[in-house]
Amino acid sequence: MTAVSGPAGDLVTAFDAADARLQPFFGRLIALDRVGSTNDEAARLAGAGAPEGTLVVADSQTTGRGRSGRSWFSPPGAGLYVSVVLRPLDPGAPPGTVEWVRLVTLAAGVGVAEGIRASTALPIELKWPNDVGITDGPGPRAADRRWRKLAGVLAEAAAVGRAIQHVIVGIGVNVGQASFPSALAGAATSLEAESGRPIDRGAVLVETLAAFRSAYADLREGRSREVLARWRVLSPTAFGARVAIRGDGAEPEGVTAGLGDDGALHVRVGGRIEPVVSGELRWI
Ligand code: BTN
């Protein structure tokens, strides 16, 4: 296998070399040098009829975005910025509902966490719904654990009414960033900073795609419980961690009580269990 030059050539080379593990699901990889957001490019392609499994990667993003309107730091060559087109309305897929998108997001988080573990051996954790990071240890309070974020998932659905037309799953992984903007300092880290050695982002891409593909296949074939079981193993904070639920006004505090079968995080507030499906949790 010869290395591919051009935009994100290392990623193209790794993708091509892993043909047997990734095909036929990931049929086409579009590699770009610089783009606003790979999610926007993938959505544009999906709107023009691109099939499920189409991938967009870029070496850098100028307007990469994260959840809740935040931006995603996307400098050239230092990270993995990738988006996948999914089409839950294809024949044989489960109904394309908003609830199903939540499960897709969790499946993507499983893919990223398992992919990073397989390619780096770092003890990655998931934090509901789809933050991927690393901590110093198993203390019960967020402050003791010193969570640092390594990666995230942004799933964006195009829907008509409640029917999903396509879902774009965007994955960002901090691979080699040596420093971050001051607003992220202390809260974000990279695989190289954590492992203290060079990391092959092509290997991270391939392992992540392979793990996501298997989790997504489970979902499509009606085995969402298996995906949720994989997610739970990766997320010690889904049980027994103190959180505050951000709402319009009040911010009730509680303790996480596990992941529901619909992908909601259960939080015990006083004597009752609140299923949290959206909004923000503050880990305290
Ligand atoms: C998060 O806030 O944790 C989600 C971050 C998702 C970032 C990725 S990078 C590739 C894709 N394109 C974007 O603009 N965002 C996602």
Side-chain angles (χ1 to χ4, degrees), residues 107-149:
V110 166
V112 178
E114 290 184 354
I116 293 175
R117 279 179 172 239
S119 54
T120 68
L122 284 168
I124 300 302
E125 288 180 22
L126 285 170
K127 209 154 107 178
W128 189 90
N130 55 19
D131 280 357
V132 182
I134 193 162
T135 71
D136 282 342
R141 297 178 65 109
D144 300 334
R145 295 168 53 78
R146 215 171 64 82
W147 167 268
R148 283 100 64 202
K149 182 158 167 164

Side-chain angles (χ1 to χ4, degrees), residues 117-205:
R117 279 179 172 239
S119 54
T120 68
L122 284 168
I124 300 302
E125 288 180 22
L126 285 170
K127 209 154 107 178
W128 189 90
N130 55 19
D131 280 357
V132 182
I134 193 162
T135 71
D136 282 342
R141 297 178 65 109
D144 300 334
R145 295 168 53 78
R146 215 171 64 82
W147 167 268
R148 283 100 64 202
K149 182 158 167 164
L150 280 161
V153 174
L154 178 66
E156 296 180 312
V160 175
R162 278 175 55 84
I164 304 298
Q165 304 301 302
H166 64 249
V167 180
I168 306 300
V169 170
I171 295 169
V173 184
N174 301 329
V175 179
Q177 286 90 337
S179 62
F180 289 87
S182 55
L184 297 174
T189 186
S190 69
L191 300 180
E192 293 193 350
E194 293 298 330
S195 64
R197 64 183 175 88
I199 297 289
D200 173 3
R201 64 179 184 163
V204 178
L205 173 70

Side-chain angles (χ1 to χ4, degrees), residues 37-39 61 63-67 72 80-83 130-131 149 151-154 170-172:
S37 158
T38 54
N39 267 29
Q61 299 183 116
T63 52
R65 60 179 177 273
R67 293 196 309 125
W72 187 259
L80 203 52
Y81 320 114
V82 50
S83 298
N130 55 19
D131 280 357
K149 182 158 167 164
V153 174
L154 178 66
I171 295 169

